[in-house]
Amino acid sequence: MKKHNYITVLGRNNVRMPLDELHEYGLIVSVCNKHLDSQYLDYVWTREEKDLLWFLQQRPSPVHCVTTPDLYKKYVFYDQVHSFPPISPQFNLTLDVNTDEQTLALLTALGLTEKRIILVGFDISSPKVLKDLRSVIILHPDMKFYFLCNPPKTKQLDYCSNAECILFKDIEKLK
Amino acid sequence: MMGKTTNTNYVIKVLWPPHCQNRGPKVLEERADIVKEMNGMRSKIENFLKASCSGHFKVSDEYDMKGFNVGFEQGPDVYNFVLEQATIGYEVDREIGRYNIFSDKYIKHKLLYTAKGIVIG
């Protein structure tokens, strides 16, 4: 599969931009959020079977879902259901049932893009999420990460040279 | 395993009849009857696929001592193909290759036949 240049990851917080506008900045990968307009979602990370089925039943077309190995075993014959490949030991993350779904959505995006990831509505109030986000950023020095937020800009990613905090009002410069 | 070709998301191997398996090229040169049977089986499968698949499929013509690969675009076609083994008279390998969008490779999984349907192990 040809990798995409740009991908946007939607986190758990409210997304303050219309998805159709956001889609102009690249494919959209999201955590499981049924309130979003599914026609603009390209991939969703889902952990629960009922959520997986919900996204597969969306019309006009099902949303591609990335899910757990257990659910993948059952839904392997569904073309829109995907799973991570076995994770390389050099990858410094432990994925388990406690891994935050935002981190998993971010890993989904990492597997599909090669240049830039925009994080929108990404909730970094949890120390574990923030630690995982920093690990991912540091482990991928060739990828550029943009963290979108409202003022004030977060300082949490300041020491990551390949990450930058951008205000929503300035998103145009990422076009 | 065949490389990713356009629209091939699943690969499954159809086994030759037992007496046709593990025959080297030299034996096959001498046994035209076996070659005829193998070619006949390939044609039969291809005809069945033409009639039953709603998506794209590809029957591999690469020689393999165990069987031949069939690539499918759509999961429901694969599922149906595995289900119809006994009806049509063929046997598929207990392994399936599914294209992984992240690694850009086919990952092999063991097929499991359960009371609730076919899954992977």
Side-chain angles (χ1 to χ4, degrees):
Chain A
M1 177 178 174
K2 186 178 171 293
K3 293 214 173 186
H4 305 277
N5 285 337
Y6 308 129
I7 283 196
T8 301
V9 178
L10 304 185
R12 196 179 295 116
N13 287 339
N14 284 340
V15 178
R16 297 177 186 269
M17 267 184 76
L19 286 192
D20 55 341
E21 281 180 36
L22 208 47
H23 207 264
E24 292 170 15
Y25 295 85
L27 293 189
I28 295 181
V29 176
S30 175
V31 297
C32 177
N33 182 347
K34 293 178 185 170
H35 300 297
L36 298 173
D37 187 345
S38 65
Q39 66 171 311
Y40 297 110
L41 300 180
D42 297 288
Y43 293 91
V44 171
W45 165 264
T46 50
R47 201 191 292 270
E48 301 293 330
E49 186 167 10
K50 61 178 172 38
D51 297 330
L52 180 78
L53 290 172
W54 192 86
F55 283 107
L56 290 176
Q57 286 161 14
Q58 291 308 295
R59 294 291 176 266
S61 57
V63 181
H64 282 263
C65 295
V66 182
T67 190
T68 61
D70 279 347
L71 273 182
Y72 182 69
K73 285 176 185 173
K74 189 172 171 185
Y75 290 93
V76 67
F77 294 106
Y78 285 70
D79 302 333
Q80 293 83 10
V81 177
H82 309 279
S83 176
F84 291 128
I87 289 180
S88 159
Q90 68 185 30
F91 206 69
N92 187 17
L93 279 175
T94 311
L95 298 183
D96 55 31
V97 289
N98 298 318
T99 305
D100 191 272
E101 58 176 13
Q102 293 182 116
T103 304
L104 294 162
L106 174 61
L107 293 176
T108 303
L110 267 176
L112 298 171
T113 187
E114 52 192 12
K115 284 189 179 168
R116 179 183 83 182
I117 291 179
I118 303 177
L119 303 166
V120 179
F122 210 83
D123 180 3
I124 52 171
S125 59
S126 149
K128 187 172 185 317
V129 173
L130 182 59
K131 177 180 159 286
D132 287 346
L133 175 60
R134 284 173 173 160
S135 299
V136 166
I137 292 173
I138 291 165
L139 278 165
H140 296 85
D142 297 333
M143 185 81 68
K144 189 78 182 161
F145 294 84
Y146 294 96
F147 185 92
L148 258 74
C149 66
N150 284 320
K153 284 185 180 181
T154 178
K155 305 271 186 209
Q156 300 289 355
L157 304 174
D158 277 2
Y159 67 91
C160 303
S161 59
N162 54 330
E164 190 181 334
C165 185
I166 302 270
L167 297 178
F168 275 103
K169 68 181 179 60
D170 299 327
I171 191 174
E172 286 279 329
K173 71 180 187 187
L174 297 180
K175 264 195 178 165
Chain B
M1 181 148 300
M2 59 171 79
K4 166 84 174 169
T5 54
T6 315
N7 299 333
T8 302
N9 292 317
Y10 305 81
V11 178
I12 199 162
K13 191 185 288 293
V14 180
L15 302 177
W16 298 123
H19 59 280
C20 299
Q21 289 183 26
N22 304 315
R23 304 284 191 169
K26 194 164 183 339
V27 176
L28 291 178
E29 273 175 27
E30 294 162 0
R31 294 288 305 270
D33 57 322
I34 288 182
V35 174
K36 191 179 172 194
E37 193 171 344
M38 290 162 90
N39 288 337
M41 184 185 183
R42 201 196 296 268
S43 304
K44 179 176 137 182
I45 297 295
E46 198 154 7
N47 288 337
F48 172 62
L49 291 167
K50 274 181 198 159
S52 65
C53 283
S54 51
H56 167 88
F57 67 88
K58 186 178 188 307
V59 177
S60 167
D61 50 13
E62 284 172 28
Y63 175 69
D64 184 294
M65 288 172 99
K66 200 173 172 190
F68 56 97
N69 284 339
V70 182
F72 292 88
E73 177 189 14
Q74 296 179 3
D77 288 340
V78 191
Y79 197 87
N80 185 48
F81 185 68
V82 176
L83 276 183
E84 295 296 340
Q85 290 175 82
T87 323
I88 310 298
Y90 54 86
E91 187 184 351
V92 298
D93 200 6
R94 291 282 176 114
E95 207 170 56
I96 186 169
R98 167 88 200 260
Y99 177 69
N100 187 281
I101 55 170
F102 300 106
S103 62
D104 198 21
K105 286 178 184 158
Y106 291 93
I107 295 184
K108 288 183 176 180
H109 305 281
K110 227 159 190 62
L111 281 178
L112 296 177
Y113 299 93
T114 72
K116 288 184 177 176
I118 304 160
V119 296
I120 55 169

